Every structure is written in structure tokens, then in C-alpha cells.
Amino acid sequence: MKSRTKVVVIGGGIAGCSTLYHLTKEGWTDVVLLERNNLTSGTTWHSAAQVTNFGMNQTMVGLKKHSIELYRDLAKDTDCPVNYNYGDGGIRLANTEEQMDAYRHFTSMGKGMGVEFEVIDANECQKRHPLISTDNLLGGWWDPHDGNIDPYQLCNSLVNRAKKAGAEIYTDTPVTGLEQYEDNTWKVITDNGNIDCDVVVNACGYRVNEVAKMMNVQHPVASMEHQYFLTEDIPEIENADHRMPLLRCPISDYYCRQDKNGLLIGFYEQDCKPWGMDGIDPNFVNSLCPDDLDRVTDVLEGAFQRMPALKEVGIKNIVNGPITYTIDGAPLVGKIPGKENAYCIIGLRAGIGEGGGHGWLLAQQIVHGEACYDTWCIDPARFTSHSNVELTSLKAIEDYQNEFRFHYPNEHRPVGRSAKTTSLTSIMNEKNAEFKVVNGWERVDFIKPNKDFKYSHTFNFDEAFSIVADEVKNVQNNVGVCEVNGFNRFEITGNDTDSFIDRMFCGKITHKPGRVGLGYLLNHAGMVKAEATIANLPESDRGPKRVWYGSAAASEFHDMDWLTQNIKKDEQVTIKSLTNDQTILVLAGPNSRKVISKCSREDWSKESFPWLSVRECFIGFSPATVMAVSFSGELAYEIHVPNESLYAVYLALMNEGKKLDIQIFGARAVESMRMEKGFLAWKHDLITEFDPFETGLNRFVNLQKNDFVGRTALQKRINEGLKKKLVCLKVDCKHSPAFSGASLLEENKVVGTITSGDWGHRVNLNLAYAFVDINKAEIGTKMNLDLLGKIIETEVIPFAPYDSNFSRILT
Ligand SMILES: Cc1cc2nc3c(=O)[nH]c(=O)nc-3n(C[C@H](O)[C@H](O)[C@H](O)COP(=O)(O)OP(=O)(O)OC[C@H]3O[C@@H](n4cnc5c(N)ncnc54)[C@H](O)[C@@H]3O)c2cc1C
């Protein structure tokens, strides 16, 4: 075995093989794959190996499209043949209008990625899949690209190509230890000797945490047992003139594909079983779990009813194997947070279909720092301190039980709740709060009129619409309070803090003590990486001169990694996370100044404390740091308080506020109000696929600065000219918001993609943001939106249709 290489990929399943191959495609050919046994000996060998183009968002659709194109190419490779059944399509069934709406949305979204899906009725489902009955069936969703592939041949073919490019593979080489050198390169220790490398990749499937432990991390990945069986030959299939399309059924939780002249049927039973929680037998290699068909009888019945031919046929073979899950069901592909030169491609639950695409995006990240798509939906940094294997296994059970029932907008499932709470959570609960989950935090979404109030999981505006309208109205006319827990907050100190911040942000950021600035961080490709507020706190009895960096709740690990990676060796900069130590109460509305003035002895007049000010003070008797910033577009104060003082500050505000009839408002009201003000949301409107000019952040870029991260690449992009532009749209529809990913069309050609959408209650408009072709960005341009299968007219309007001159904030 060689003693040094650039990248060591650990694990020879689809994840590792695809990563290795794609690293060579990106130009890194001095790369090695280490496999403890033989290739595919983990989960990959026994996979049902279906390859669909379905994805919940555009990144997932795009990466699966890459898999399919790659696998089609491999299948043609005579050098290393791969059996790939492609082109017979697949159907996802539906028996509710909500499911059909979801399919309509995914069809609209697919168009933007160049993938044509089709929504079909029940009869058409049966026409395309003659074995099924139409009982209790409304229709389905047709994926013409569905298919299945031989997973063993697939991995061999990838490895064959990687080897030809220069990669090396060592099987029967278990990795037993990992040590990191001072310069952040790695020593990989194996039973067959050691190998030094710049970068390590954990692609170890269900053994992910055995290897993670070697670098002192734990990934939120858990395994579930999963079963399918293969039937004897079915005469209707033998006599058919085409292969049966694949089936996936959210009604009875199974999937089914043709296998030779029989069927392969896999089940997602309710009585499901986690696997390997207490350690995995080292000899579990090319192995299966014991069959247990009794467990799946609940879902078997549904499959029999849908395909009566099954009742007549015998079972040939049963396969029960471990399949990995994460907290939200999507894998972890990217840099391991808190570690340098360490990546992972783990938690793949549909790894054969997705593996080609994940390996592609990971290799791009390793070689270029970023991939062609925004990879937040698979970024390992999206889970933070609350995420561990215990929580993951509970969420895995919930996810497994709902395998084909995707999350609807505003749906927050019950398992693993209350992972992160504050002293106000139970008080808000008493006030009938409906909570949503943000990075584990329980955040008030809106206040229900009573405990029993329920809202539908739907793509339309739901029953909370008028409640949210009232919460907005109160903030607009009076005063409201809203807890924003989990808001990410770092304290940055050290002599070089200001110059460090200047380098990290692409615009001019104030360093004036007592002032707050908003700015954007770019990646090295000049694209929008992060958004943060910078609050300059002068030296005081609470600490030295310091800067508070505040950003979205989910960005904690993401932003910490990016900032710390970019501190230069000779720079004196220290970053400490206060995210879990402090919480924010937002006081918003024209009467907010009256309330805060009653609770504190400071002068809160606009002359003494104008917009974008920050000061340390007391609210009641509790220490607080208050910023005059507003996401709602009304006069507002962000009151940052240590967690232990939260309740006392809340009581102080409510005691004074009740004289003015202060009301609670939640995250849904905030979402509606920020859309009206033209404020952007990280990882919705602010993504790495666009630069700050395309995102309309011109006033936050200062090209006079010689040096900021991403400047050179940004200048190159400017020279080439803008191709896309973020716009605000008025949507001519009253029943549904525009959903992220939906396509804007002109004569059936996609000219834009929605990033956010919501009703603006103060302007009484259905609003959306979208990235559109540059020639569609003019105010007044009309475009058709494919919204849940209907064509809806939209028109580009100026950003911030509510109070565009900020008179209400500056008052
Ligand atoms: C019954 C069943 C049906 C499925 N059906 C489908 C389907 O239809 N479509 C689909 O897309 N997906 C399906 N899946 C899921 C899919 O098979 C997996 O997502 C995929 O195979 C995971 O690949 P992997 O490379 O991540 O893991 P694995 O295949 O488990 O590979 C990990 C590799 O790492 C190696 N390794 C571990 N530790 C070390 C170490 N210390 N040193 C060196 N090497 C190490 C292991 O030996 C193993 O070879 C199914 C899964 C199951 C169980």
C-alpha cells in the first residue's frame, strides 16, 4: 500500500465508490479507497437498487438527475457492463388531494431542473401498470426516469473508471485509527499499514460512527432494519409486452419493481426496528438480518389489495438489511463541522439512486470548496448540538413509518420535540402556542384560538391564515412580542477583530461602538455564503470591546466553521459561541418604544437610540443587550437576554405591555412581514448558487475594498455580466402561496424559480421572491407560475411593497 496520497476515502459501498470516481473526474487522481472487506459488502450488495429522479427540492432532483445520466453512461460501457433497467418509468400513488397537490408541486419544480414529471389519474396509472387496481386511488405521479440497477456492477464500474484515472483501491483493509497532524493533514491507520493524506472521507455506511469515533465525533446517523421479498414468476408479467413500471405507495407503505418475471416488494411497516444501536458485530459482512415477515403484515395487506396477482404467487426470497437514516431523512454529505480536511457521505437511505449525485457534489466540495448546487439540504452542519444517535433513531422510526409521506409546508412532526427549549416554552404552551422546530428549538409559529385548534397539512393557505393576519395587524398598529430562540450568536474579540470582519464581509461594516450593521459573506467563488448582523459592543463592566455576530438559528455550525477556517495564522481573533446562552425577545410595533421606556431607565427616543443602535442596559432588573433592528418593518427592538433572565424580562415587558394590550406574535407573522419588507431568508433566497448582485444585494457590496473573501471571483462574474436576478412578484392567486422550487414559465420555457412565497397581510398581496432570467427582471414583467398544476399570472413589483421608505422603522 502506498504511504501517502491526497484523499483517503474509507468505505467501498456506493458512497465511497462514487466519491472516488468523481474525485478523479474533478482532476484529483492521486486518491485511495480503503475497504475493510470487499466492495459492496455493507448495505450496497443487497439493495433493491431503485433509481428514481424524485426529490423534495431542486438540489435533490439535480443530483439524482446526475446519477441517472451517469448510470446510463456506465450501462453503455462494454468494458465493465452494468445491468440498468431504465425507461419503463415509475408511479407514486395517491389517494388524497393533498398528495396530488404535492405531486403537482414536484412536477413544477422538476421543470426548473430540466426534468419532466407527469401527474396522472387513476385510470392512467392502471393503464401504465396493468397489475394494479384503482380502488381507493386518486391518481399518481409519473417519473419517466425511474429504474433499477445492479448495485455490485455499478460500484465495480465506478471503481474501474477511477482506477484507470489513477486511483487505487485496497480491499480487506480495515481502518482502525485516524490521527490528525499539526498541519491538519491525516494519518490513516489500517491493519495493513498506515497512509498519510490531506483529506479523509467517511463513507462507512452503517459503521459510520465506528470511524467517526476515531476522530472524536458522532454523526446523527442510525440504522433501521428494512425488508423486501422477491416473488416467483407472475404470468401477467411473463406475458406483458413491457416491463412493469416501479410503484411507490404512500397509502400502504411499500414499493415494488419487476425482478425477472416476478416482483420485488419492499415494506415500510409501522412496527419497525432500529438496528445496531448497541454496536455491530465485526463479522456482520455481506450479511443480512433475520427475516421477519410477521412484522410487515400491516402493509402487506395493502400491497395485496393493490396487486391482486400477488395473492396467487409464492415468495422466492426475503432480504432484511440495515439502512441508514438521519434526523430529517436526508443524508450528510460535505465537510464534517468542527474538523479540518474531513468530509463524510453518510446516512444514505436511498444511496443507490442518489449515490452518483452525492459523490459528484462531495467531490466538487472537496476539490473546489463548493458544489454547483447549494448543498445545505445535505450539509452535515445543518444539525447542531442536539443531534445525537438517540434522537436520530427516534426520528428514523418516525421517518421510516412515513417513508413516502413527505412533509407538507408548515408540518412539524411530533417525535423528538422539545430538544431545545427556553423558560418561555411552557408559558407559550399555556397560551395555546403552536410550535415549529428550528434547528431543534421549539419556536412559536402562531397562537391558536384554543387548545383543540387544528390546521390542515396542505399546499394551500391553511386555517391559521386569519390568525396570522391578526398577529400582523397587532404588530402594525400596536405592539407585539415574539421570542426568537436559537438565534445564532458569536462573540468575536481580539486585536484583529475589525480587520477580520472587513475581510469576511463583502461590504462596508461599521466598527463604531454602539452601532449595528448588516452584511454578507461570500465563498471563494464569489457567491452568497452567509448573512449576519454585526453589533459593536464597547468595553463595559460586562466585558472588553467585542463584536456580536448574529445569524440564522440553523447556521451555528456552518458559520462557525467558515469564520474559524478563515482566521489567518498571525491574526488575533477569538470566536466564542453564545448561541445557547442567550435568547432574543423581539418587541415590535409603533407602541414598542412606550413599552421599553417603561421597563428601562434608558432614553429610548430616536435621537438617543436611533435605528441600528446597540446598547447594554437593564430591562426591569435584568441585564440585556438591546438592538434597534427590525425584521417586521415596524419600529422594533431586539432584546438579547441571558437565558436565566429570559422569564424576568418577559414578565417586565408583559406587565408594562398589558396596559397597551400587548400580544404575542409568532414565526408565521414574521415570515409574512419580512416578505413585505423585501428582507431575505438564508438558504431560501440567499444561496450559494447566486452572487450578491444577482441576489440584489448591490448596496451591501463594496468593491472599493481591496480584499474580501470572494472578491476576485466576484469581479470575474461582474465582468461576465449577470445572468439571473432575484425579484419580488405579485402572484395573482388567493388560495395558495408560491412554493420554493416552483417554476416560472414563458411559453413552456422555464424563466425563473420561486425561492419564498407568502401572503403579505399589510399590503394584501400574495408575494413571492424568485430568481429569474435577467431579461425578466424589469418591474412590470409578467410571467406564468406553474402553481400546483395551474398557470397563475405573476408580475414583477419593486421589493419592499410595504413602507418602502422605512418611515415606520425610522420613526
Ligand atoms: C433492503 C434494502 C433495500 C434498499 N433499496 C434501495 C433502493 O431501492 N434504492 C436505493 O437507492 N437505495 C436502497 N437502499 C439503500 C441503499 O442500499 C444504501 O443507501 C446504500 O447501499 C448505502 O451505501 P453506502 O456506501 O453508504 O454504505 P455501505 O454499502 O454499507 O458501504 C459502507 C462500506 O464501508 C466499509 N467500512 C465500514 N467501516 C470501515 C472501516 N473501518 N474501514 C474500511 N472500510 C469500512 C464497509 O465494509 C462497507 O463496504 C436499500 C437498502 C436496504 C437495506
Side-chain angles (χ1 to χ4, degrees):
M1 190 165 78
K2 54 159 72 166
S3 58
R4 196 174 204 298
T5 186
K6 217 166 164 59
V7 184
V8 169
V9 179
I10 311 169
I14 180 61
C17 296
S18 172
T19 305
L20 190 78
Y21 164 74
H22 284 100
L23 282 169
T24 65
K25 290 294 282 181
E26 294 299 327
W28 283 18
T29 52
D30 179 10
V31 289
V32 161
L33 186 148
L34 303 180
E35 163 55 48
R36 79 196 284 274
N37 305 105
N38 48 321
L39 293 181
T40 75
S41 58
T43 290
T44 297
W45 70 275
H46 64 260
S47 178
Q50 298 154 116
V51 182
T52 164
N53 213 153
F54 170 79
M56 290 287 291
N57 55 49
Q58 288 202 319
T59 297
M60 291 305 277
V61 175
L63 71 89
K64 290 185 189 196
K65 184 179 172 196
H66 175 82
S67 286
I68 289 169
E69 284 166 0
L70 170 65
Y71 298 174
R72 291 184 75 184
D73 184 47
L74 295 175
K76 282 189 242 142
D77 193 340
T78 46
D79 193 23
C80 200
V82 183
N83 289 326
Y84 182 24
N85 294 310
Y86 168 84
D88 298 295
I91 308 173
R92 269 164 212 264
L93 303 176
N95 68 341
T96 69
E97 259 315 318
E98 285 71 31
Q99 286 163 344
M100 293 297 279
D101 268 348
Y103 295 156
R104 291 178 188 115
H105 172 60
F106 298 141
T107 303
S108 173
M109 188 175 70
K111 285 180 186 161
M113 299 308 287
V115 183
E116 284 295 331
F117 300 115
E118 200 184 339
V119 179
I120 53 179
D121 65 21
N123 289 334
E124 189 59 32
C125 290
Q126 192 184 46
K127 209 162 130 196
R128 295 184 193 192
H129 197 308
L131 290 187
I132 65 170
S133 84
T134 56
D135 292 350
N136 186 28
L137 188 66
L138 207 53
W141 187 73
W142 178 254
D143 172 4
H145 311 284
D146 227 330
N148 70 286
I149 195 162
D150 183 314
Y152 177 77
Q153 291 176 340
L154 169 63
C155 288
N156 265 301
S157 182
L158 289 167
V159 157
N160 183 44
R161 286 193 180 188
K163 274 204 243 175
K164 277 190 186 158
E168 292 185 21
I169 288 103
Y170 303 100
T171 53
D172 294 313
T173 306
V175 171
T176 53
L178 289 165
E179 285 173 14
Q180 195 157 24
Y181 295 107
E182 288 249 306
D183 64 356
N184 284 331
T185 61
W186 292 90
K187 180 202 273 187
V188 182
I189 302 162
T190 85
D191 282 357
N192 298 336
N194 303 339
I195 178 164
D196 285 346
C197 61
D198 295 336
V199 173
V200 286
V201 177
N202 183 344
C204 290
Y206 51 75
R207 293 192 189 275
V208 45
N209 278 318
E210 293 177 7
V211 171
K213 206 171 168 189
M214 298 173 198
M215 53 171 90
N216 286 327
V217 293
Q218 193 199 43
H219 296 293
V221 175
S223 300
M224 300 291 295
E225 285 189 21
H226 174 52
Q227 293 183 87
Y228 63 75
F229 65 63
L230 297 155
T231 72
E232 304 283 358
D233 290 356
I234 297 176
E236 288 90 331
I237 295 182
E238 278 175 311
N239 300 330
D241 57 3
H242 61 86
R243 281 180 68 83
M244 290 300 130
L246 288 87
L247 277 188
R248 292 180 187 81
C249 179
I251 312 162
S252 303
D253 304 302
Y254 61 87
Y255 58 80
C256 169
R257 70 162 169 86
Q258 183 169 336
D259 190 79
K260 302 201 174 69
N261 282 329
L263 290 174
L264 177 157
I265 310 182
F267 300 97
Y268 292 99
E269 68 282 6
Q270 291 301 300
D271 184 20
C272 54
K273 202 170 160 197
W275 181 86
M277 289 285 290
D278 299 317
I280 300 164
D281 178 352
N283 298 316
F284 191 89
V285 176
N286 286 311
S287 302
L288 291 173
C289 314
D291 305 344
D292 187 2
L293 275 194
D294 285 348
R295 237 181 30 231
V296 305
T297 43
D298 57 335
V299 280
L300 206 55
E301 187 53 31
F304 278 23
Q305 276 171 13
R306 183 65 62 213
M307 284 172 290
L310 278 179
K311 292 180 191 157
E312 314 297 326
V313 71
I315 293 172
K316 209 166 58 176
N317 203 1
I318 301 169
V319 169
N320 185 14
I323 193 164
T324 51
Y325 278 74
T326 66
I327 287 184
D328 63 2
L332 304 173
V333 180
K335 184 181 170 300
I336 299 173
K339 291 280 157 196
E340 287 311 306
N341 296 335
Y343 292 79
C344 60
I345 173 164
I346 50 177
L348 274 64
R349 80 173 194 218
I352 306 302
E354 296 174 3
H358 287 309
W360 176 54
L361 295 182
L362 181 61
Q364 289 179 48
Q365 291 180 62
I366 294 171
V367 175
H368 310 295
E370 205 85 58
C372 56
Y373 302 135
D374 190 291
T375 50
W376 181 243
C377 64
I378 51 172
D379 193 329
R382 71 189 186 279
F383 303 121
T384 59
S385 51
H386 66 294
S387 46
N388 51 43
V389 174
E390 302 295 318
L391 174 64
T392 310
S393 59
L394 294 172
K395 291 302 282 180
I397 293 170
E398 184 183 55
D399 228 21
Y400 188 97
Q401 290 169 333
N402 289 285
E403 179 73 24
F404 297 127
R405 285 185 287 274
F406 15 76
H407 280 81
Y408 286 92
N410 295 317
E411 181 185 2
H412 300 278
R413 292 191 173 154
V415 170
R417 299 297 294 266
S418 300
K420 293 179 182 171
T421 58
T422 69
S423 54
L424 290 192
T425 308
S426 57
I427 291 161
M428 293 297 148
N429 196 32
E430 283 302 302
K431 288 188 176 294
N432 295 333
E434 178 69 31
F435 292 94
K436 69 185 288 190
V437 188
V438 181
N439 186 21
W441 290 94
E442 294 291 334
R443 206 179 263 182
V444 175
D445 212 14
F446 59 91
I447 300 291
K448 299 182 283 190
N450 55 63
K451 278 236 170 320
D452 301 326
F453 174 87
K454 293 264 176 307
Y455 65 93
S456 319
H457 294 148
T458 166
F459 276 80
N460 297 320
F461 289 119
D462 62 26
E463 296 81 351
F465 185 86
S466 59
I467 300 170
V468 175
D470 287 345
E471 288 183 6
V472 171
K473 201 166 162 192
N474 172 62
V475 173
Q476 183 183 19
N477 298 315
N478 183 24
V479 56
V481 72
C482 168
E483 186 193 5
V484 186
N485 51 25
F487 184 77
N488 181 42
R489 186 185 295 88
F490 301 145
E491 187 171 270
I492 310 181
T493 48
N495 290 344
D496 298 313
T497 299
D498 291 349
S499 55
F500 171 68
I501 285 172
D502 281 340
R503 198 174 69 251
M504 293 309 297
F505 284 76
C506 65
K508 186 169 160 28
I509 293 288
T510 178
H511 302 306
K512 233 169 133 188
R515 298 297 293 162
V516 179
L518 174 70
Y520 294 85
L521 297 84
L522 310 185
N523 62 21
H524 292 293
M527 311 303 246
V528 177
K529 175 101 181 154
E531 177 196 55
T533 50
I534 289 294
N536 297 285
L537 296 169
E539 187 178 350
S540 73
D541 56 353
R542 296 190 197 163
K545 176 179 173 321
R546 61 217 183 276
V547 159
W548 273 15
Y549 171 108
S551 56
S555 67
E556 187 184 351
F557 283 6
H558 172 277
D559 286 13
M560 181 61 97
D561 250 15
W562 184 241
L563 293 174
T564 46
Q565 265 172 44
N566 279 286
I567 300 175
K568 289 184 180 164
K569 276 208 170 63
D570 56 353
E571 251 174 351
Q572 265 193 37
V573 173
T574 306
I575 307 175
K576 182 176 151 200
S577 178
L578 302 179
T579 301
N580 294 328
D581 302 336
Q582 298 257 341
T583 301
I584 301 176
L585 285 171
V586 171
L587 190 65
N591 283 331
S592 53
R593 182 174 286 132
K594 279 188 201 154
V595 175
I596 200 165
S597 300
K598 292 275 184 197
C599 300
S600 137
R601 288 186 289 116
E602 309 289 327
D603 177 357
W604 296 98
S605 66
K606 88 168 172 195
E607 292 72 26
S608 167
F609 195 69
W611 191 42
L612 298 180
S613 299
V614 56
R615 70 161 48 129
E616 291 176 320
C617 60
F618 288 89
I619 300 291
F621 54 79
S622 308
T625 306
V626 179
M627 298 181 202
V629 291
S630 172
F631 205 45
S632 60
E634 305 295 343
L635 176 69
Y637 301 94
E638 260 186 18
I639 304 171
H640 298 243
V641 290
N643 284 341
E644 69 270 21
S645 310
L646 174 64
Y647 183 50
V649 172
Y650 169 78
L651 285 183
L653 295 174
M654 293 309 272
N655 273 340
E656 289 306 329
K658 73 174 174 231
K659 297 165 198 159
L660 292 160
D661 194 22
I662 194 169
Q663 301 289 329
I664 311 289
F665 65 103
R668 283 217 208 175
V670 174
E671 178 64 11
S672 162
M673 291 189 281
R674 71 105 186 159
M675 293 287 306
E676 293 173 302
K677 282 303 297 168
F679 296 145
L680 308 182
W682 187 65
K683 292 304 172 196
H684 292 268
D685 320 305
L686 299 165
I687 55 175
T688 56
E689 288 170 39
F690 300 99
D691 68 38
F693 293 106
E694 290 170 317
T695 314
L697 301 171
N698 307 37
R699 70 183 192 285
F700 295 98
V701 185
N702 178 10
L703 289 169
Q704 310 307 320
K705 278 204 302 192
N706 300 332
D707 177 28
F708 59 79
V709 174
R711 193 190 184 293
T712 314
L714 181 63
Q715 187 61 58
K716 191 161 166 271
R717 289 183 66 83
I718 296 168
N719 298 344
E720 285 164 6
L722 295 191
K723 293 184 185 63
K724 295 273 183 185
K725 190 83 205 275
L726 188 72
V727 296
C728 182
L729 298 166
K730 183 173 82 174
V731 180
D732 187 15
C733 153
K734 290 211 159 59
H735 54 81
S736 322
F739 289 100
S740 176
S743 291
L744 289 156
L745 306 169
E746 190 184 63
E747 287 164 10
N748 260 344
K749 183 175 159 275
V750 177
V751 291
T753 303
I754 300 290
T755 55
S756 295
D758 205 352
W759 191 268
H761 291 280
R762 291 172 297 189
V763 295
N764 208 23
L765 287 175
N766 196 354
L767 297 170
Y769 298 158
F771 279 102
V772 298
D773 291 352
I774 194 71
N775 61 341
K776 297 281 151 208
E778 283 287 304
I779 304 295
T781 305
K782 296 202 163 134
M783 281 167 280
N784 287 330
L785 171 65
D786 179 343
L787 182 60
L788 307 177
K790 297 218 163 50
I791 292 299
I792 305 287
E793 192 171 276
T794 68
E795 182 182 331
V796 179
I797 60 169
F799 263 98
Y802 181 70
D803 189 32
S804 57
N805 59 6
F806 281 53
S807 64
R808 298 182 67 85
I809 294 180
L810 296 171
T811 186

